[in-house]
Amino acid sequence: MDYSRPLLADRLAAEYVLGTLRGAARRRFEALLPAHPALAAAVAGWQARLLPLSAAVTPVPPSPGVWSRLERRLFAGAATPARWWQRLGLWQGVSAFATVAALALGLVLSQPQPVQPPIIVVIAPNPEAAGVLQAGFAAGLTRDGRALVLQPIHPVVPGSGRAFELWAVPPQGAPRSLGLVSGEQATTVQRGLLLRDTAAFAVSLEPSGGSPTGAPTGPILSVGKLQI
C-alpha cells in the first residue's frame, strides 16, 4: 500500500484520530508512523483541526460524597474510638495517619477530574450534492448537549452570496436550524438541548443570511448520523 499518496494518508489519519481505526489496523498504523512523514503530518493536521472540540467539554466537579466515603474506608469498624485516645502510642499513629490521609485527600481534590469525552459526529459530503460543492465537517458535542464545535475537514468557500447553515435533524419532522457556520474555521454553537430529538446533523447551502423559510432551501451538502 502506497502511504505516500496524500488522499490515502489523510483518510487513514482521519480514522486514526477520530478513533474509528481499530484493532490490528490501528496497531499497524501506529507502527508505520515513525517511518512515514506523510502519515505523521496527516495525523498532526487532523489533531490540530479537532483540538477545538476539547474546549467544549464541560469540567466535572468532584462528588460531594468523596470525604464521607473516605471516612467510611478509614474508620470502618471503629465502634469504640474513645479507647483509642487512652493510648498515646496509638494516638500518635492515628494522628500521623490522619495527616497523611488529609494530604492525600487534598491532592486528589486538586487534580483535574476525569471528564467524559465529546460525542464525535462526522458530517460527510452528500454524494447527491457532489456536483454542487464538496463539504465535509467533524462535529464534537458535549455530553450534556449544551455546546457543539463544528470543524471543516477541508477548507471550503460557499461562494458569493451564499452561506453554510447547520441543521439538527429529528427522527421525524422538520429540521431545526443551528445557525450559520464557517467552511474555513471552527464554529462553536452553544444552546441547550442540542441532543434532544436529534438523529443526525446536516449542512445546507443557503443565501448569505441563512434560510429565509426556517427550513433548508438549498442543496444538502453533508449529513452525519448521531450515534450515542
Side-chain angles (χ1 to χ4, degrees), residues 82-96:
R83 296 180 182 177
W84 291 13
W85 309 112
Q86 297 172 4
R87 299 172 55 186
L88 178 60
L90 185 57
W91 179 86
Q92 290 173 335
V94 172
S95 177

Side-chain angles (χ1 to χ4, degrees), residues 136 178 227-228:
L178 299 179
Q227 296 179 335
I228 301 177

Side-chain angles (χ1 to χ4, degrees), residues 46-223:
W46 271 97
Q47 289 173 336
R49 292 173 199 163
L50 297 180
L51 183 62
L53 301 180
S54 62
V57 179
T58 304
V60 178
S63 167
V66 168
W67 176 245
S68 60
R69 289 196 298 270
L70 182 60
E71 283 184 319
R72 287 196 298 270
R73 289 185 182 181
L74 292 178
F75 306 116
T80 56
R83 296 180 182 177
W84 291 13
W85 309 112
Q86 297 172 4
R87 299 172 55 186
L88 178 60
L90 185 57
W91 179 86
Q92 290 173 335
V94 172
S95 177
F97 182 72
T99 300
V100 173
L103 291 174
L105 177 63
L107 179 62
V108 169
L109 294 181
S110 67
Q111 297 300 311
Q113 298 299 308
V115 297
Q116 291 182 309
I119 300 167
I120 304 298
V121 181
V122 177
I123 306 177
N126 181 7
E128 297 181 2
V132 180
L133 200 60
Q134 284 275 15
F137 300 84
L141 298 98
T142 56
R143 292 277 171 174
D144 58 11
R146 295 180 181 178
L148 176 151
V149 177
L150 189 75
Q151 175 73 42
I153 295 175
H154 296 291
V156 58
V157 179
S160 178
R162 308 290 278 175
F164 297 127
E165 190 161 356
L166 178 65
W167 303 87
V169 183
Q172 295 180 340
R176 308 185 308 274
S177 174
L178 299 179
L180 300 182
V181 296
S182 172
E184 300 177 273
Q185 60 188 5
T187 303
T188 300
V189 178
Q190 291 184 317
R191 61 178 66 188
L193 306 177
L194 285 169
L195 297 175
R196 190 177 73 177
D197 197 31
T198 299
F201 293 97
V203 175
S204 67
L205 186 63
E206 301 293 340
S208 58
S211 169
T213 65
T217 61
I220 304 299
L221 301 178
S222 46
V223 179

